């Protein structure tokens, strides 16, 4: 399926935005000033004579041919998560601010009214996690990225990445394996199979997720655009996980953007003997106040909170959890909690049958509940914690008085 | 060579301390109270009838036979680093406070007057680093522990560990390979080759370092004593590095003691797929404000400061560096700095010849200078930084304006 919401693709402003998309990555400060001062339509009118080869109507036709659609700021489905880019771009270089437009292609369209499952871009800063890392990834890094993305997808998260070799590809593949939605933000046109070896992967992402670019169809992958593109990966996600990065890896720029946007920045460690983890370890060492070490999807949820919160819901990275009592939960989640036995474990399939939901949706609800300490996963299924059982028992966070073995509250040693 | 300073081994207090050493690990609160209230000699007089089998003179004879000596609190050479134990042991269980005595054996005797190189126990909290971890270590962990200990030894640090299988053994072996001093704190008598497979390793440590125990010769390695012993490993070092630890590894107790003593706690990460790194990652995740991720000896020095400072010199973990100007350095270090060219690199051998010191000693001085940002290692040798060249140039810490590639001061991206 294709197509976003019905919008007038031929308005002067949309045509101007489509045209100006061609100029991303050239650092044209004068043009940027014109766009800022006059708006895209007027700025493009002025710039047009110098760019006779740019024909936005032709680009939009090409986009429609491949089943895509143009998304402009203000359109229904425009990702709110990108709103912070203009603030984050301290110097007024246009290419680090809000993109002119997003050229989209894929099954996970933006904002379908009435949809329950989060897909597409609209709420990406609620349900998206960026998983990025080195192109020259090791087997270890690819394995970890794949497992992490699969597990995140199974918990309902949309995995955002850049479709590059190495970690990016492993992340997309993991998300697809987890039957989840994945978004690839490209540095070239959404009709360009780049890298060529990822032709099939890009097809799969398009069929079950989304390809997004801020440059028009046919645009080649320019080196400079990769770094610029990285801000969109960070901006489309609630947090960014860096899996492997050498000391100069381009993925570090995505990490930087995530921090500038105030999103969670999470880093997967690796062997200290691996050059591909040097950048990761350095981030964890030198910026430990803003970088969280994560080892799996559960850690990620502990950092950025349960799926469904906004990035501006007051969840800082390092993760205070909303204190709300059980009553403040959505009805379906309350029903789920009420379907759980007071003692003992219950399987996901049983719970799904009890409340008339799909097992996958039950699983997606259980993840956040576990993070909030209301339920916990056990070998035999899920069970209520003291906190989940009711307001008079237990304490928030960890289960009742269990020694965490490291620096326990109730110390083992005197 | 053997023997510590000449002290009267037959004084009532010393004999009492030797005798009371037998009772370590049994958690006898009444005895502890008696020792605290009456002092060791009187407490032992009272306890003696209940312990007819304890003969401290025989133990001291046995110690002398194997070339060892008894070190008691207040003796010349008593490690100052243990002074914090009584404060750290919040509940008054005697076995977590200052030990009754240390039974010592090995070539690196305590406090030899006039010695330049730091060896032995006296100043261990200036020049000692504990390297500990799981017995069931992986090849990766053993490799990293060995490399780290070797590198620390080459920089002049004394490597303290527990002579156990796995990480401990790798740490001792690495320190010996680095031609350094290493101290093994045993949970059994210093005459007991435990574990038996480490007979040769223990011999080597004794020949070039030190075996230390708070229990008398002939004492078997009781399970409970291992955890108690760990406080001495932490107490004898300026900081503790945890290399591999499962979720319930005993090495985590050494980490805990290091924190209680206010010493630096450093953790080496590993593959997130390795069960032997789970404890390490959990520490780094959940206690990141007190645990520093380290990947090599340089990182360790960044955390706990250059060799030669005391633990109470105001260096907190996470490492503010003493601001002292070049003039406050020891004469030999100033001579070294003055022997360096204003521009360009110079090799260690050349520097050693210029100032009439051994290359090894020059290297040991260069490490801390590099940490303090006065010199830096380059492919062609060492060179002065702007800070090292003089007080009017440069800024402390990192070299002048160089982009660290992650979150640089002068941002690459706007």
């Amino acid at each position: 399926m294709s197509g976003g919401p019905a919008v007038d693709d031929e308005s002067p402003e949309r045509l101007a935005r489509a045209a100006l998309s061609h100029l991303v990555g050239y650092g044209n400060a004068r043009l940027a000033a014109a766009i800022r001062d006059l708006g895209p339509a007027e700025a493009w009118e002025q710039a047009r004579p110098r760019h006779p080869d740019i024909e936005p109507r032709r680009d939009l036709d090409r986009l429609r041919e491949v089943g895509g659609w143009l998304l402009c700021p203000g359109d229904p489905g425009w990702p709110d998560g990108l709103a912070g880019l203009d603030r984050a771009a301290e110097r007024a270089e246009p290419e680090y601010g809000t993109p002119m437009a997003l050229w989209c292609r894929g099954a996970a369209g933006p904002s379908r009214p009435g949809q329950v499952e989060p897909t597409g871009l609209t709420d990406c800063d609620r349900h998206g996690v960026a998983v990025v890392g080195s192109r020259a990834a090791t087997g270890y890094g690819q394995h970890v990225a794949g497992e992490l993305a699969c597990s995140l997808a199974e918990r309902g998260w949309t995995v955002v990445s850049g479709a590059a070799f190495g970690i990016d590809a492993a992340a997309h593949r993991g998300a697809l394996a987890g039957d989840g939605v994945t978004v690839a933000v490209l540095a070239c046109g959404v009709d360009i199979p780049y890298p060529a070896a990822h032709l099939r992967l890009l097809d799969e992402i398009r069929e079950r997720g989304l390809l997004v670019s801020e440059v028009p169809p046919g645009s080649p992958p320019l080196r400079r655009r990769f770094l610029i593109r990285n801000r969109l990966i960070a901006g489309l996600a609630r947090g960014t996980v860096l899996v492997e990065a050498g000391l100069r890896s381009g993925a570090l720029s995505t990490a930087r953007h995530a921090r500038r946007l105030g999103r969670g920045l999470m880093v997967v460690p690796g062997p200290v003997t691996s050059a591909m983890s040097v950048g990761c370890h350095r981030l964890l060492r030198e910026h430990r106040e803003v970088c969280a070490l994560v080892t799996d999807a559960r850690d990620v949820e502990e950092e950025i909170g349960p799926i469904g919160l906004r990035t501006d819901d007051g969840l800082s990275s390092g993760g205070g959890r909303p204190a709300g009592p059980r009553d403040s939960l959505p009805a379906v989640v309350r029903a789920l909690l009420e379907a759980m036995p007071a003692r003992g474990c219950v399987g996901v399939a049983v719970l799904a049958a009890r409340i008339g939901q799909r097992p996958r949706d039950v699983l997606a609800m259980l993840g956040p509940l576990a993070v909030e300490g209301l339920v916990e996963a056990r070998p035999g299924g899920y069970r209520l914690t003291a906190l989940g059982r009711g307001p008079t028992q237990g304490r928030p966070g960890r289960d009742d008085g269990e020694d965490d073995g490291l620096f326990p509250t109730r110390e083992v040693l005197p």
Side-chain angles (χ1 to χ4, degrees), chain A:
Chain A
M1 62 172 287
S2 74
V7 285
D8 175 14
D9 264 352
E10 307 290 314
S11 80
E13 160 139 359
R14 297 182 77 78
L15 284 171
R17 287 183 171 274
L20 291 166
S21 295
H22 276 279
L23 305 177
V24 166
Y26 294 105
N28 189 329
R30 208 174 114 193
L31 177 60
I35 294 170
R36 192 184 54 232
D37 298 340
L38 310 171
E42 182 60 28
W44 171 240
E45 271 315 305
Q46 290 186 3
R48 194 173 192 164
R50 293 189 300 281
H51 301 283
D53 49 330
I54 295 182
E55 296 177 32
R57 277 201 178 80
R58 187 191 56 196
D59 298 322
L60 289 167
D61 286 345
R62 169 73 185 141
L63 183 67
R64 271 188 292 267
E65 270 171 42
V66 297
W69 66 95
L70 190 75
L71 203 56
C72 291
D75 284 353
W78 179 259
D80 303 308
L82 299 182
L85 284 173
D86 281 331
R87 285 195 305 275
E90 284 159 30
R91 299 176 209 178
E93 280 198 66
E95 56 260 57
Y96 290 105
T98 305
M100 280 293 110
L102 292 179
W103 305 73
C104 304
R105 189 182 175 206
S111 88
R112 300 185 210 139
Q115 77 191 15
V116 175
E117 270 185 278
T119 56
L121 299 178
T122 320
D123 285 329
C124 241
D125 61 330
R126 287 178 190 252
H127 60 78
V129 175
V131 177
V132 299
S134 180
R135 277 188 291 269
T138 67
Y140 163 75
Q142 291 175 65
H143 169 80
V144 173
E147 288 290 312
L148 177 67
C150 179
S151 183
L152 286 168
E154 284 173 346
R155 288 159 177 255
W157 293 89
T158 295
V159 173
V160 184
S161 196
F165 285 122
I167 299 301
D168 285 17
H172 290 302
R173 289 195 176 106
L176 292 168
D179 201 17
V181 174
T182 187
V183 173
V185 186
L186 308 181
C188 58
V190 291
D191 60 336
I192 307 258
Y194 179 88
H198 285 173
L199 178 59
R200 181 174 292 181
L201 173 62
L202 291 164
D203 277 350
E204 276 190 68
I205 296 172
R206 183 174 48 74
E207 281 161 19
R208 294 164 55 194
L210 209 56
L211 303 176
V212 179
S213 176
E214 62 177 321
V215 293
S219 303
L222 298 182
R223 185 172 165 72
R224 182 148 198 219
R225 283 180 179 156
F226 283 96
L227 284 178
I228 297 168
R229 178 271 317 258
N230 288 349
R231 84 191 191 288
L232 301 180
I233 295 177
L236 286 174
R238 176 119 148 250
T240 292
V241 183
L242 186 66
V243 177
E244 277 193 321
L247 210 44
R248 300 276 160 188
S249 168
L252 292 168
S253 88
T254 316
R256 207 145 47 209
H257 286 300
R259 279 319 303 173
R260 269 195 219 139
L261 288 164
R263 311 287 165 85
L265 173 55
M266 294 151 282
V267 180
V268 175
V272 297
T273 46
S274 165
M276 277 303 114
S277 287
V278 169
C280 291
H281 294 151
R282 191 156 164 197
L283 268 181
L284 287 169
R285 240 188 94 52
E286 302 185 357
H287 301 277
R288 62 177 126 162
E289 67 291 352
V290 295
C291 292
L293 183 150
V294 293
T295 65
D296 57 20
R298 202 173 146 274
D299 286 350
V300 169
E301 288 188 345
E302 274 190 23
E303 284 307 313
I304 60 175
I307 197 168
L309 292 174
R310 293 213 81 88
T311 51
D312 53 4
D313 278 349
L315 250 183
S316 63
S317 112
R321 292 158 198 155
R326 186 167 162 166
D327 293 351
S328 73
L329 295 169
V332 63
V333 179
R334 255 182 298 149
L336 174 64
L337 284 172
E338 277 150 25
M340 295 184 76
R343 304 276 161 186
C345 290
V346 60
V348 172
V350 174
L351 283 172
R354 281 186 191 165
I355 64 168
Q357 297 281 336
R358 288 186 304 168
R360 188 184 153 185
D361 295 335
V362 167
L363 207 56
M365 286 187 271
L366 285 167
L369 290 173
V371 169
E372 297 227 39
L374 296 169
V375 303
E376 61 181 2
R378 287 278 154 171
Y382 283 79
R383 73 173 192 193
L384 288 172
T385 63
L387 183 67
R389 279 195 294 272
T392 58
Q393 297 164 287
R395 54 186 179 83
R398 271 184 198 292
D399 198 8
D400 24 351
E402 213 168 89
D403 176 4
D404 80 352
L406 300 172
F407 295 125
T409 315
R410 192 188 55 198
E411 297 258 12
V412 175
L413 300 178

